[in-house]
Amino acid sequence: INVSFVFLYILMVIAQAEVTLKPDRPFLWVQPGQTAVLECCYTNKGKLESFKWIRYFREGNHTIGPANVNLTDLVTQDVDSKTSCGVLNFLTVQPEHSGMYQCWLKDSKRFTHGTYLHVYKPVEKIIDLSEGTKNKILMAEGVLLLFCVLLPSAILLYQSKRHNNLEMKKVKMQEENIYEGLNLDDCCTTYDQIERSQTQGQYQDVCNVMEEEEEIQLEKP
């Protein structure tokens, strides 16, 4: 038993060494009702291998597979002998077709890299707008945004200018109140009177002192 197992293992290694797998398409996104084509390609010195398609898919929270792909009138299998590729055709893709698809090469006992087929439902448009209408909406949004930026700035500048004007008027009114009712001619007349009274008072005092001394001297015997 051990000898036969080793012999089969050696044959498998040799077969795998002769087969070279080509890169498969990693992802394929399609909408329900569309067609889809999956390929698994390899090179085996010009020889074609027998294969079958298998897939892994999600069911609830579990991953199921590898499971054989059920071939129907809408899901067919073909072989491209020129490129040594196995082909899986979906004439009308359905959501339940989503999953990871690989080829199982029976002769070399190998899986190909595989392609993940994702069937998705497009998002329905609530409002169907043309490109011209979209461009107009974007332009209006840009103008509105610019207006929202410029208007507060203009208001702040206006308030600042108004505040400065009020401050200047306040300072000017204070200066006018200081000199309000003050006549320069009266000020000069009053100042001259004060100067004259002070001068006359000094001279009058000296004369009065001299007269008093003379009177004192005359009274003496």
Side-chain angles (χ1 to χ4, degrees), residues 96-122:
E96 59 269 17
H97 290 152
S98 295
M100 180 69 180
Y101 288 81
Q102 292 177 296
C103 279
W104 169 248
L105 303 179
K106 297 180 181 179
D107 298 335
S108 59
K109 309 296 182 183
R110 296 184 67 178
F111 284 106
T112 57
H113 300 295
T115 301
Y116 187 83
L117 177 64
H118 180 67
V119 183
Y120 69 96
K121 293 182 179 179

PDB file of all heavy atoms in Angstrom, residues 96-122:
ATOM      1  N   GLU A  96     -28.317  34.453  -7.304  1.00  0.00           N
ATOM      2  CA  GLU A  96     -27.838  33.228  -6.662  1.00  0.00           C
ATOM      3  C   GLU A  96     -26.607  32.646  -7.337  1.00  0.00           C
ATOM      4  O   GLU A  96     -26.017  31.681  -6.840  1.00  0.00           O
ATOM      5  CB  GLU A  96     -28.953  32.170  -6.631  1.00  0.00           C
ATOM      6  CG  GLU A  96     -29.485  31.792  -7.992  1.00  0.00           C
ATOM      7  CD  GLU A  96     -30.676  32.639  -8.414  1.00  0.00           C
ATOM      8  OE1 GLU A  96     -30.865  33.709  -7.803  1.00  0.00           O
ATOM      9  OE2 GLU A  96     -31.408  32.199  -9.313  1.00  0.00           O
ATOM     10  N   HIS A  97     -26.194  33.221  -8.464  1.00  0.00           N
ATOM     11  CA  HIS A  97     -24.987  32.743  -9.145  1.00  0.00           C
ATOM     12  C   HIS A  97     -23.712  33.316  -8.544  1.00  0.00           C
ATOM     13  O   HIS A  97     -22.611  32.927  -8.957  1.00  0.00           O
ATOM     14  CB  HIS A  97     -25.042  33.096 -10.644  1.00  0.00           C
ATOM     15  CG  HIS A  97     -26.077  32.311 -11.395  1.00  0.00           C
ATOM     16  ND1 HIS A  97     -26.711  32.792 -12.537  1.00  0.00           N
ATOM     17  CD2 HIS A  97     -26.611  31.088 -11.159  1.00  0.00           C
ATOM     18  CE1 HIS A  97     -27.563  31.876 -12.978  1.00  0.00           C
ATOM     19  NE2 HIS A  97     -27.525  30.840 -12.154  1.00  0.00           N
ATOM     20  N   SER A  98     -23.823  34.222  -7.603  1.00  0.00           N
ATOM     21  CA  SER A  98     -22.627  34.812  -6.989  1.00  0.00           C
ATOM     22  C   SER A  98     -21.818  33.737  -6.274  1.00  0.00           C
ATOM     23  O   SER A  98     -22.370  32.832  -5.636  1.00  0.00           O
ATOM     24  CB  SER A  98     -23.020  35.909  -6.001  1.00  0.00           C
ATOM     25  OG  SER A  98     -23.633  36.987  -6.667  1.00  0.00           O
ATOM     26  N   GLY A  99     -20.498  33.842  -6.387  1.00  0.00           N
ATOM     27  CA  GLY A  99     -19.627  32.888  -5.710  1.00  0.00           C
ATOM     28  C   GLY A  99     -18.250  32.845  -6.339  1.00  0.00           C
ATOM     29  O   GLY A  99     -17.958  33.536  -7.322  1.00  0.00           O
ATOM     30  N   MET A 100     -17.385  32.032  -5.763  1.00  0.00           N
ATOM     31  CA  MET A 100     -16.020  31.829  -6.237  1.00  0.00           C
ATOM     32  C   MET A 100     -15.992  30.595  -7.141  1.00  0.00           C
ATOM     33  O   MET A 100     -16.325  29.486  -6.700  1.00  0.00           O
ATOM     34  CB  MET A 100     -15.073  31.641  -5.045  1.00  0.00           C
ATOM     35  CG  MET A 100     -13.631  31.420  -5.434  1.00  0.00           C
ATOM     36  SD  MET A 100     -12.906  32.906  -6.142  1.00  0.00           S
ATOM     37  CE  MET A 100     -11.244  32.337  -6.485  1.00  0.00           C
ATOM     38  N   TYR A 101     -15.598  30.775  -8.411  1.00  0.00           N
ATOM     39  CA  TYR A 101     -15.610  29.693  -9.397  1.00  0.00           C
ATOM     40  C   TYR A 101     -14.177  29.280  -9.732  1.00  0.00           C
ATOM     41  O   TYR A 101     -13.312  30.132  -9.989  1.00  0.00           O
ATOM     42  CB  TYR A 101     -16.325  30.135 -10.669  1.00  0.00           C
ATOM     43  CG  TYR A 101     -17.824  30.262 -10.511  1.00  0.00           C
ATOM     44  CD1 TYR A 101     -18.394  31.394  -9.945  1.00  0.00           C
ATOM     45  CD2 TYR A 101     -18.676  29.236 -10.909  1.00  0.00           C
ATOM     46  CE1 TYR A 101     -19.766  31.505  -9.793  1.00  0.00           C
ATOM     47  CE2 TYR A 101     -20.058  29.338 -10.769  1.00  0.00           C
ATOM     48  CZ  TYR A 101     -20.590  30.477 -10.202  1.00  0.00           C
ATOM     49  OH  TYR A 101     -21.949  30.582 -10.048  1.00  0.00           O
ATOM     50  N   GLN A 102     -13.939  27.956  -9.736  1.00  0.00           N
ATOM     51  CA  GLN A 102     -12.646  27.385 -10.085  1.00  0.00           C
ATOM     52  C   GLN A 102     -12.853  26.163 -10.987  1.00  0.00           C
ATOM     53  O   GLN A 102     -13.925  25.560 -11.002  1.00  0.00           O
ATOM     54  CB  GLN A 102     -11.872  26.949  -8.828  1.00  0.00           C
ATOM     55  CG  GLN A 102     -11.407  28.083  -7.947  1.00  0.00           C
ATOM     56  CD  GLN A 102     -10.712  27.563  -6.698  1.00  0.00           C
ATOM     57  OE1 GLN A 102     -11.340  26.896  -5.884  1.00  0.00           O
ATOM     58  NE2 GLN A 102      -9.423  27.864  -6.576  1.00  0.00           N
ATOM     59  N   CYS A 103     -11.782  25.834 -11.685  1.00  0.00           N
ATOM     60  CA  CYS A 103     -11.768  24.597 -12.465  1.00  0.00           C
ATOM     61  C   CYS A 103     -10.964  23.530 -11.717  1.00  0.00           C
ATOM     62  O   CYS A 103      -9.868  23.819 -11.206  1.00  0.00           O
ATOM     63  CB  CYS A 103     -11.138  24.832 -13.842  1.00  0.00           C
ATOM     64  SG  CYS A 103     -12.275  25.560 -15.023  1.00  0.00           S
ATOM     65  N   TRP A 104     -11.503  22.336 -11.711  1.00  0.00           N
ATOM     66  CA  TRP A 104     -10.777  21.203 -11.140  1.00  0.00           C
ATOM     67  C   TRP A 104     -10.238  20.381 -12.305  1.00  0.00           C
ATOM     68  O   TRP A 104     -10.980  19.767 -13.074  1.00  0.00           O
ATOM     69  CB  TRP A 104     -11.673  20.370 -10.259  1.00  0.00           C
ATOM     70  CG  TRP A 104     -11.085  19.049  -9.852  1.00  0.00           C
ATOM     71  CD1 TRP A 104     -11.493  17.810 -10.235  1.00  0.00           C
ATOM     72  CD2 TRP A 104      -9.975  18.844  -8.973  1.00  0.00           C
ATOM     73  NE1 TRP A 104     -10.730  16.830  -9.667  1.00  0.00           N
ATOM     74  CE2 TRP A 104      -9.782  17.452  -8.876  1.00  0.00           C
ATOM     75  CE3 TRP A 104      -9.139  19.706  -8.257  1.00  0.00           C
ATOM     76  CZ2 TRP A 104      -8.769  16.882  -8.104  1.00  0.00           C
ATOM     77  CZ3 TRP A 104      -8.142  19.144  -7.479  1.00  0.00           C
ATOM     78  CH2 TRP A 104      -7.959  17.755  -7.402  1.00  0.00           C
ATOM     79  N   LEU A 105      -8.889  20.426 -12.471  1.00  0.00           N
ATOM     80  CA  LEU A 105      -8.237  19.686 -13.547  1.00  0.00           C
ATOM     81  C   LEU A 105      -8.063  18.240 -13.077  1.00  0.00           C
ATOM     82  O   LEU A 105      -7.274  17.967 -12.167  1.00  0.00           O
ATOM     83  CB  LEU A 105      -6.894  20.318 -13.896  1.00  0.00           C
ATOM     84  CG  LEU A 105      -6.953  21.809 -14.302  1.00  0.00           C
ATOM     85  CD1 LEU A 105      -5.552  22.329 -14.599  1.00  0.00           C
ATOM     86  CD2 LEU A 105      -7.881  22.031 -15.473  1.00  0.00           C
ATOM     87  N   LYS A 106      -8.808  17.358 -13.699  1.00  0.00           N
ATOM     88  CA  LYS A 106      -8.857  15.975 -13.215  1.00  0.00           C
ATOM     89  C   LYS A 106      -7.536  15.240 -13.419  1.00  0.00           C
ATOM     90  O   LYS A 106      -7.122  14.436 -12.564  1.00  0.00           O
ATOM     91  CB  LYS A 106      -9.984  15.223 -13.920  1.00  0.00           C
ATOM     92  CG  LYS A 106     -11.368  15.787 -13.632  1.00  0.00           C
ATOM     93  CD  LYS A 106     -12.434  14.999 -14.371  1.00  0.00           C
ATOM     94  CE  LYS A 106     -13.822  15.572 -14.099  1.00  0.00           C
ATOM     95  NZ  LYS A 106     -14.885  14.828 -14.831  1.00  0.00           N
ATOM     96  N   ASP A 107      -6.855  15.460 -14.567  1.00  0.00           N
ATOM     97  CA  ASP A 107      -5.635  14.706 -14.850  1.00  0.00           C
ATOM     98  C   ASP A 107      -4.497  15.117 -13.932  1.00  0.00           C
ATOM     99  O   ASP A 107      -3.770  14.272 -13.405  1.00  0.00           O
ATOM    100  CB  ASP A 107      -5.227  14.904 -16.313  1.00  0.00           C
ATOM    101  CG  ASP A 107      -6.292  14.378 -17.271  1.00  0.00           C
ATOM    102  OD1 ASP A 107      -7.054  13.474 -16.841  1.00  0.00           O
ATOM    103  OD2 ASP A 107      -6.377  14.880 -18.404  1.00  0.00           O
ATOM    104  N   SER A 108      -4.330  16.412 -13.729  1.00  0.00           N
ATOM    105  CA  SER A 108      -3.218  16.895 -12.894  1.00  0.00           C
ATOM    106  C   SER A 108      -3.628  17.080 -11.436  1.00  0.00           C
ATOM    107  O   SER A 108      -2.788  17.430 -10.598  1.00  0.00           O
ATOM    108  CB  SER A 108      -2.673  18.209 -13.454  1.00  0.00           C
ATOM    109  OG  SER A 108      -3.696  19.192 -13.494  1.00  0.00           O
ATOM    110  N   LYS A 109      -4.893  16.889 -11.139  1.00  0.00           N
ATOM    111  CA  LYS A 109      -5.377  17.004  -9.758  1.00  0.00           C
ATOM    112  C   LYS A 109      -5.078  18.390  -9.157  1.00  0.00           C
ATOM    113  O   LYS A 109      -4.535  18.520  -8.059  1.00  0.00           O
ATOM    114  CB  LYS A 109      -4.753  15.921  -8.869  1.00  0.00           C
ATOM    115  CG  LYS A 109      -4.865  14.500  -9.391  1.00  0.00           C
ATOM    116  CD  LYS A 109      -6.308  14.043  -9.479  1.00  0.00           C
ATOM    117  CE  LYS A 109      -6.387  12.595  -9.962  1.00  0.00           C
ATOM    118  NZ  LYS A 109      -7.782  12.131 -10.127  1.00  0.00           N
ATOM    119  N   ARG A 110      -5.466  19.411  -9.895  1.00  0.00           N
ATOM    120  CA  ARG A 110      -5.172  20.770  -9.428  1.00  0.00           C
ATOM    121  C   ARG A 110      -6.387  21.663  -9.623  1.00  0.00           C
ATOM    122  O   ARG A 110      -7.184  21.471 -10.557  1.00  0.00           O
ATOM    123  CB  ARG A 110      -3.975  21.363 -10.187  1.00  0.00           C
ATOM    124  CG  ARG A 110      -2.680  20.635  -9.971  1.00  0.00           C
ATOM    125  CD  ARG A 110      -1.531  21.349 -10.670  1.00  0.00           C
ATOM    126  NE  ARG A 110      -1.271  22.655 -10.049  1.00  0.00           N
ATOM    127  CZ  ARG A 110      -0.278  23.452 -10.471  1.00  0.00           C
ATOM    128  NH1 ARG A 110       0.501  23.082 -11.495  1.00  0.00           N
ATOM    129  NH2 ARG A 110      -0.065  24.598  -9.883  1.00  0.00           N
ATOM    130  N   PHE A 111      -6.487  22.657  -8.735  1.00  0.00           N
ATOM    131  CA  PHE A 111      -7.486  23.701  -8.877  1.00  0.00           C
ATOM    132  C   PHE A 111      -6.849  24.910  -9.562  1.00  0.00           C
ATOM    133  O   PHE A 111      -5.696  25.260  -9.292  1.00  0.00           O
ATOM    134  CB  PHE A 111      -8.034  24.139  -7.513  1.00  0.00           C
ATOM    135  CG  PHE A 111      -9.001  23.179  -6.905  1.00  0.00           C
ATOM    136  CD1 PHE A 111      -8.635  22.382  -5.835  1.00  0.00           C
ATOM    137  CD2 PHE A 111     -10.292  23.081  -7.398  1.00  0.00           C
ATOM    138  CE1 PHE A 111      -9.535  21.500  -5.262  1.00  0.00           C
ATOM    139  CE2 PHE A 111     -11.208  22.196  -6.821  1.00  0.00           C
ATOM    140  CZ  PHE A 111     -10.816  21.408  -5.756  1.00  0.00           C
ATOM    141  N   THR A 112      -7.593  25.550 -10.432  1.00  0.00           N
ATOM    142  CA  THR A 112      -7.121  26.816 -11.001  1.00  0.00           C
ATOM    143  C   THR A 112      -7.311  27.928  -9.966  1.00  0.00           C
ATOM    144  O   THR A 112      -7.923  27.731  -8.910  1.00  0.00           O
ATOM    145  CB  THR A 112      -7.890  27.150 -12.284  1.00  0.00           C
ATOM    146  OG1 THR A 112      -9.293  27.203 -11.993  1.00  0.00           O
ATOM    147  CG2 THR A 112      -7.627  26.099 -13.366  1.00  0.00           C
ATOM    148  N   HIS A 113      -6.769  29.094 -10.294  1.00  0.00           N
ATOM    149  CA  HIS A 113      -6.816  30.204  -9.325  1.00  0.00           C
ATOM    150  C   HIS A 113      -8.244  30.640  -9.050  1.00  0.00           C
ATOM    151  O   HIS A 113      -8.599  30.942  -7.910  1.00  0.00           O
ATOM    152  CB  HIS A 113      -5.991  31.376  -9.850  1.00  0.00           C
ATOM    153  CG  HIS A 113      -4.553  31.026 -10.081  1.00  0.00           C
ATOM    154  ND1 HIS A 113      -3.705  30.678  -9.055  1.00  0.00           N
ATOM    155  CD2 HIS A 113      -3.817  30.958 -11.223  1.00  0.00           C
ATOM    156  CE1 HIS A 113      -2.494  30.426  -9.540  1.00  0.00           C
ATOM    157  NE2 HIS A 113      -2.540  30.579 -10.861  1.00  0.00           N
ATOM    158  N   GLY A 114      -9.070  30.705 -10.087  1.00  0.00           N
ATOM    159  CA  GLY A 114     -10.481  31.009  -9.883  1.00  0.00           C
ATOM    160  C   GLY A 114     -10.839  32.480 -10.075  1.00  0.00           C
ATOM    161  O   GLY A 114      -9.979  33.372 -10.061  1.00  0.00           O
ATOM    162  N   THR A 115     -12.134  32.711 -10.239  1.00  0.00           N
ATOM    163  CA  THR A 115     -12.698  34.057 -10.423  1.00  0.00           C
ATOM    164  C   THR A 115     -13.914  34.204  -9.517  1.00  0.00           C
ATOM    165  O   THR A 115     -14.754  33.293  -9.447  1.00  0.00           O
ATOM    166  CB  THR A 115     -13.126  34.289 -11.889  1.00  0.00           C
ATOM    167  OG1 THR A 115     -11.997  34.129 -12.735  1.00  0.00           O
ATOM    168  CG2 THR A 115     -13.711  35.686 -12.067  1.00  0.00           C
ATOM    169  N   TYR A 116     -13.995  35.347  -8.843  1.00  0.00           N
ATOM    170  CA  TYR A 116     -15.160  35.607  -7.989  1.00  0.00           C
ATOM    171  C   TYR A 116     -16.198  36.367  -8.805  1.00  0.00           C
ATOM    172  O   TYR A 116     -15.946  37.472  -9.298  1.00  0.00           O
ATOM    173  CB  TYR A 116     -14.783  36.414  -6.756  1.00  0.00           C
ATOM    174  CG  TYR A 116     -15.942  36.555  -5.778  1.00  0.00           C
ATOM    175  CD1 TYR A 116     -16.219  35.557  -4.867  1.00  0.00           C
ATOM    176  CD2 TYR A 116     -16.772  37.672  -5.814  1.00  0.00           C
ATOM    177  CE1 TYR A 116     -17.280  35.658  -3.999  1.00  0.00           C
ATOM    178  CE2 TYR A 116     -17.838  37.783  -4.947  1.00  0.00           C
ATOM    179  CZ  TYR A 116     -18.087  36.774  -4.039  1.00  0.00           C
ATOM    180  OH  TYR A 116     -19.157  36.866  -3.183  1.00  0.00           O
ATOM    181  N   LEU A 117     -17.363  35.758  -8.955  1.00  0.00           N
ATOM    182  CA  LEU A 117     -18.477  36.381  -9.683  1.00  0.00           C
ATOM    183  C   LEU A 117     -19.417  37.033  -8.675  1.00  0.00           C
ATOM    184  O   LEU A 117     -19.938  36.368  -7.785  1.00  0.00           O
ATOM    185  CB  LEU A 117     -19.227  35.322 -10.499  1.00  0.00           C
ATOM    186  CG  LEU A 117     -20.469  35.808 -11.252  1.00  0.00           C
ATOM    187  CD1 LEU A 117     -20.095  36.825 -12.317  1.00  0.00           C
ATOM    188  CD2 LEU A 117     -21.223  34.629 -11.862  1.00  0.00           C
ATOM    189  N   HIS A 118     -19.588  38.340  -8.831  1.00  0.00           N
ATOM    190  CA  HIS A 118     -20.461  39.092  -7.917  1.00  0.00           C
ATOM    191  C   HIS A 118     -21.614  39.680  -8.729  1.00  0.00           C
ATOM    192  O   HIS A 118     -21.415  40.480  -9.636  1.00  0.00           O
ATOM    193  CB  HIS A 118     -19.691  40.219  -7.231  1.00  0.00           C
ATOM    194  CG  HIS A 118     -20.525  41.015  -6.287  1.00  0.00           C
ATOM    195  ND1 HIS A 118     -21.043  40.505  -5.125  1.00  0.00           N
ATOM    196  CD2 HIS A 118     -20.955  42.304  -6.341  1.00  0.00           C
ATOM    197  CE1 HIS A 118     -21.750  41.423  -4.502  1.00  0.00           C
ATOM    198  NE2 HIS A 118     -21.714  42.528  -5.224  1.00  0.00           N
ATOM    199  N   VAL A 119     -22.819  39.240  -8.403  1.00  0.00           N
ATOM    200  CA  VAL A 119     -24.023  39.754  -9.055  1.00  0.00           C
ATOM    201  C   VAL A 119     -24.645  40.780  -8.118  1.00  0.00           C
ATOM    202  O   VAL A 119     -25.002  40.451  -6.982  1.00  0.00           O
ATOM    203  CB  VAL A 119     -25.021  38.616  -9.357  1.00  0.00           C
ATOM    204  CG1 VAL A 119     -26.232  39.166 -10.098  1.00  0.00           C
ATOM    205  CG2 VAL A 119     -24.339  37.520 -10.173  1.00  0.00           C
ATOM    206  N   TYR A 120     -24.755  42.015  -8.563  1.00  0.00           N
ATOM    207  CA  TYR A 120     -25.218  43.098  -7.704  1.00  0.00           C
ATOM    208  C   TYR A 120     -26.393  43.816  -8.354  1.00  0.00           C
ATOM    209  O   TYR A 120     -26.556  43.814  -9.574  1.00  0.00           O
ATOM    210  CB  TYR A 120     -24.091  44.102  -7.448  1.00  0.00           C
ATOM    211  CG  TYR A 120     -23.703  44.901  -8.674  1.00  0.00           C
ATOM    212  CD1 TYR A 120     -24.227  46.176  -8.904  1.00  0.00           C
ATOM    213  CD2 TYR A 120     -22.817  44.377  -9.610  1.00  0.00           C
ATOM    214  CE1 TYR A 120     -23.875  46.902 -10.022  1.00  0.00           C
ATOM    215  CE2 TYR A 120     -22.465  45.093 -10.733  1.00  0.00           C
ATOM    216  CZ  TYR A 120     -22.995  46.350 -10.938  1.00  0.00           C
ATOM    217  OH  TYR A 120     -22.647  47.062 -12.054  1.00  0.00           O
ATOM    218  N   LYS A 121     -27.209  44.402  -7.511  1.00  0.00           N
ATOM    219  CA  LYS A 121     -28.327  45.200  -7.984  1.00  0.00           C
ATOM    220  C   LYS A 121     -27.919  46.664  -7.979  1.00  0.00           C
ATOM    221  O   LYS A 121     -27.454  47.179  -6.961  1.00  0.00           O
ATOM    222  CB  LYS A 121     -29.554  44.997  -7.083  1.00  0.00           C
ATOM    223  CG  LYS A 121     -30.139  43.597  -7.146  1.00  0.00           C
ATOM    224  CD  LYS A 121     -31.382  43.487  -6.270  1.00  0.00           C
ATOM    225  CE  LYS A 121     -31.992  42.079  -6.348  1.00  0.00           C
ATOM    226  NZ  LYS A 121     -33.191  41.952  -5.493  1.00  0.00           N
ATOM    227  N   PRO A 122     -28.075  47.352  -9.087  1.00  0.00           N
ATOM    228  CA  PRO A 122     -27.693  48.769  -9.120  1.00  0.00           C
ATOM    229  C   PRO A 122     -28.601  49.604  -8.235  1.00  0.00           C
ATOM    230  O   PRO A 122     -29.771  49.250  -8.006  1.00  0.00           O
ATOM    231  CB  PRO A 122     -27.846  49.148 -10.602  1.00  0.00           C
ATOM    232  CG  PRO A 122     -28.850  48.165 -11.130  1.00  0.00           C
ATOM    233  CD  PRO A 122     -28.627  46.886 -10.371  1.00  0.00           C
TER     234      PRO A 122
END
